[in-house]
Amino acid sequence: METPITRERSLARREFLKASGRAGLGALALMVGGSALLPVQRAVAQYAPDGIREVHLETREVLWELAPGKRIKAMAYNGQVPGPEIRVQEGERVRVVLTNALAEPTTVHWHGVEVPNPMDGVPGLTQQPVRPGETFVYEFEARPAGTRWYHTHFQGHRQLDLGLAAPLIIAPAQPDPFPFDREYTLILDDWATGFGRPLPSTREGTAGGRGGIGGMMRGMMGRGMGQMMCEDMGGMMAGAHTPVYDTMTINGKAYPATVPLTVRQGERVRLRLINASAEHTHVIRLAGHRVQVTHTDGNPLIRPVEVDAVPMAPSERYDVQFVAERPGVWLLACAGPGHADAGERVLLVYEGHEGEKPVAPGEEASDLRLWHYRLGHSRETLPRPARQEQTLTLTLSGGMMGSDAWTINGKQYPRTDPIHLRKGERVRVQLRNHSMEAHPMHLHGQSFQVLAINGQALAQPLLKDSVDVEAHMGAVDIAFTAANPGDWFFHCHKPMHMEGGMITLVTIA
Ligand code: C2O
Ligand code: CU
């Protein structure tokens, strides 16, 4: 239950953010009444005269400083990387006026939001690309509640790599099932800057059904770094045109430039984690604290799941909570190979302990409890089927011998076979990975239930909009009841794989 106190606090926070946004201080961690505010600037959604929440976004090229001395050419929404956090109430009508000041076309996709099809932002399918100098107006009802995000869907691999991504937080209309005293949104991203040591690409998946806890950490950490790099960078797995990633950021900054998270002892703190990376799975750990996973891709679980670390595939979101009861200065960091050194670290500072020496997460990997899909049980929030269920299989393959071609049932988009559904019809999709890399598969327009991993049924379904299918014969079964009419992309969220053809259409009539 949300208490009046938490509601009051969050209202006060919202008011203050409006004021601070005007003063142009939004990118700093602001202090008010001793409480630090979000390091991500919020795009304050004003009410237009017709009562609709209105946000103005402008895409433009900027010089962005990832860390002192690491300045790169990036693309930004409203001049910042990641773009401004948009925060609205569930059920509200939202209007986003996008002006494109880039020298090339763009579009915006509202990831995880049940938008009407023409608002989905897929160029050439749901809208014409927004050309340089043009304006496009997106309008939709904000639902479902949860940690959503928005990003470019135009030539994904370049524009997404260059920074066009941002949080979209839809506050629940009903009291939040997991109330909190303080929250931070953390967007994780990978960068190919040319400054720094190349990081190995991610091949393992996060489902964790295979070998349980150990499989993935063994895959990521068990081998020596040097060996891993030779294997991965040798061109055997990575396609010839895969960018060479060397920098990891949290909210657009690489450690030590990341903005510290401040907490007060006794507070319940929510972290909204968003993986905006093109290529990398991250394994997030907070030194000195276990965290409780409360939401998967924005959707609430029945009860929190306590873990030591949260693996996250590209495009996945996890909300986690912890109680701040270990005063000191701790590091939140990624356990992926080389990621922490490449910048993926941020300080968690208890008030009154500023300046103390930070403690990093331990190196031990074998006895950690890792999040995986089998651990969570979602609240049932999907419409029930009104018709019979059909089952189909999608075999994911490609990337052999360094090829950039990625296929579904042997075909590359646009030659893949669309999945035709009528509204109310339920479909079970068996995803089978015959390739050597994991594929985070994302469905536009609505969420789905994850029913089985690697041949074993989940005790209860998990509600998500992106699901990572493990490499080397990984198998995931999902199901959904067709609810949102239109033509929807269903694709791998690694932009190189999407551009290589790993897309199919789901058409709902
Ligand atoms: Cu978040 Cu089609 O993408
Ligand atoms: Cu893929």
Side-chain angles (χ1 to χ4, degrees):
M1 281 290 292
E2 188 182 36
T3 66
I5 291 178
T6 56
R7 188 173 301 132
E8 228 174 74
R9 275 195 208 167
S10 66
L11 276 177
R13 205 181 293 163
R14 208 170 300 146
E15 285 312 305
F16 183 77
L17 279 156
K18 271 188 204 168
S20 62
R22 262 183 242 121
L25 296 169
L28 303 171
L30 296 161
M31 308 290 287
V32 59
S35 98
L37 293 159
L38 301 177
V40 177
Q41 185 183 343
R42 286 181 184 170
V44 178
Q46 306 285 1
Y47 288 99
D50 53 5
I52 295 180
R53 273 309 225 4
E54 197 170 277
V55 181
H56 289 258
L57 292 181
E58 186 201 59
T59 48
R60 172 183 293 283
E61 265 198 31
V62 296
L63 273 181
W64 186 256
E65 194 173 79
L66 296 172
K70 262 196 187 179
R71 274 192 150 203
I72 53 154
K73 255 197 183 175
M75 290 183 178
Y77 292 115
N78 296 0
Q80 57 179 105
V81 179
E85 179 170 304
I86 298 176
R87 192 169 274 256
V88 294
Q89 288 286 320
E90 183 183 11
E92 266 184 334
R93 260 197 105 66
V94 182
R95 179 187 296 138
V96 181
V97 182
L98 171 76
T99 304
N100 184 11
L102 295 171
E104 60 186 61
T106 194
T107 60
V108 183
H109 170 57
W110 310 95
H111 185 125
V113 185
E114 293 166 4
V115 297
N117 196 241
M119 299 290 112
D120 196 42
V122 180
L125 180 69
T126 67
Q127 70 169 103
Q128 290 307 308
V130 185
R131 285 179 308 213
E134 280 184 357
T135 290
F136 187 89
V137 180
Y138 293 95
E139 203 174 300
F140 52 87
E141 251 175 47
R143 64 176 86 251
T147 303
R148 315 283 156 191
W149 61 303
Y150 64 97
H151 60 78
T152 177
H153 220 290
F154 187 83
Q155 290 186 351
H157 114 255
R158 267 190 68 253
Q159 292 195 349
L160 190 61
D161 263 9
L162 289 172
L164 287 180
L168 167 58
I169 308 300
I170 303 179
Q174 299 300 316
D176 198 302
F178 302 105
F180 51 89
D181 302 309
R182 189 190 293 260
E183 63 175 305
Y184 288 101
T185 304
L186 305 181
I187 286 216
L188 316 172
D189 207 353
D190 53 8
W191 297 82
T193 70
F195 305 90
R197 278 205 296 164
L199 293 161
S201 61
T202 300
R203 281 196 258 142
E204 283 73 20
T206 61
R210 197 186 278 161
I213 170 188
M216 173 170 184
M217 291 299 259
R218 268 199 302 281
M220 293 188 80
M221 308 181 73
R223 292 175 284 165
M225 271 290 289
Q227 184 197 345
M228 227 167 140
M229 286 208 195
C230 294
E231 280 180 24
D232 286 65
M233 305 316 296
M236 187 58 191
M237 299 305 149
H241 305 105
T242 301
V244 178
Y245 295 97
D246 51 38
T247 302
M248 295 293 180
T249 59
I250 300 178
N251 292 342
K253 297 288 175 183
Y255 186 82
T258 45
V259 179
L261 315 176
T262 305
V263 298
R264 186 184 293 164
Q265 187 171 0
E267 281 177 331
R268 182 168 283 280
V269 182
R270 177 185 286 193
L271 304 178
R272 299 177 184 269
L273 306 172
I274 302 172
N275 186 356
S277 305
E279 158 61 38
H280 291 86
T281 290
H282 302 296
V283 183
I284 298 301
R285 286 187 69 188
L286 175 56
H289 303 70
R290 292 188 122 190
V291 297
Q292 298 188 322
V293 177
T294 59
H295 298 71
T296 57
D297 294 346
N299 309 304
L301 299 178
I302 291 170
R303 51 186 168 274
V305 175
E306 192 166 87
V307 294
D308 295 299
V310 184
M312 305 181 64
S315 85
E316 286 192 308
R317 286 92 63 214
Y318 288 100
D319 287 20
V320 303
Q321 289 196 350
F322 63 93
V323 178
E325 54 195 2
R326 296 200 65 192
V329 177
W330 306 91
L331 276 163
L332 178 143
C334 179
H339 292 203
D341 287 340
E344 203 173 351
R345 278 182 278 176
V346 63
L347 293 177
L348 175 82
V349 181
Y350 280 70
E351 280 177 16
H353 294 260
E354 297 79 4
E356 287 180 13
K357 191 173 176 304
V359 180
E363 297 304 308
E364 75 289 349
S366 52
D367 56 349
L368 288 184
R369 181 171 158 92
L370 281 187
W371 160 264
H372 59 78
Y373 297 157
R374 292 178 187 289
L375 297 176
H377 299 162
S378 292
R379 286 160 195 254
E380 179 67 63
T381 55
L382 283 187
R384 305 214 158 265
R387 302 170 191 265
Q388 79 288 2
E389 173 172 309
Q390 54 162 304
T391 299
L392 46 97
T393 301
L394 301 184
T395 300
L396 313 174
S397 55
M400 297 312 286
M401 308 306 283
S403 148
D404 285 323
W406 295 93
T407 59
I408 297 179
N409 291 345
K411 297 176 184 171
Q412 283 174 285
Y413 183 81
R415 284 181 297 280
T416 45
D417 302 314
I419 300 171
H420 295 289
L421 301 171
R422 282 174 304 163
K423 196 172 168 170
E425 189 176 6
R426 188 172 159 93
V427 63
R428 183 176 181 119
V429 181
Q430 303 178 323
L431 298 162
R432 300 293 179 261
N433 189 351
H434 288 193
S435 78
M436 316 255 254
E437 289 191 38
H439 301 292
M441 296 295 294
H442 166 54
L443 175 63
H444 285 212
Q446 63 175 94
S447 293
F448 51 75
Q449 294 174 317
V450 179
L451 298 180
I453 305 287
N454 298 337
Q456 262 181 281
L458 269 59
Q460 287 191 52
L462 196 63
L463 198 61
K464 297 187 96 279
D465 57 54
S466 294
V467 68
D468 203 27
V469 189
E470 291 176 294
H472 306 288
M473 311 306 282
V476 174
D477 287 9
I478 64 168
F480 60 95
T481 302
N484 198 353
D487 295 337
W488 305 101
F489 259 25
F490 182 38
H491 66 87
C492 176
H493 215 282
K494 290 179 176 167
M496 292 299 291
H497 295 186
M498 178 169 96
E499 282 162 33
M502 195 173 277
I503 305 172
T504 194
L505 279 187
V506 173
T507 70
I508 300 176

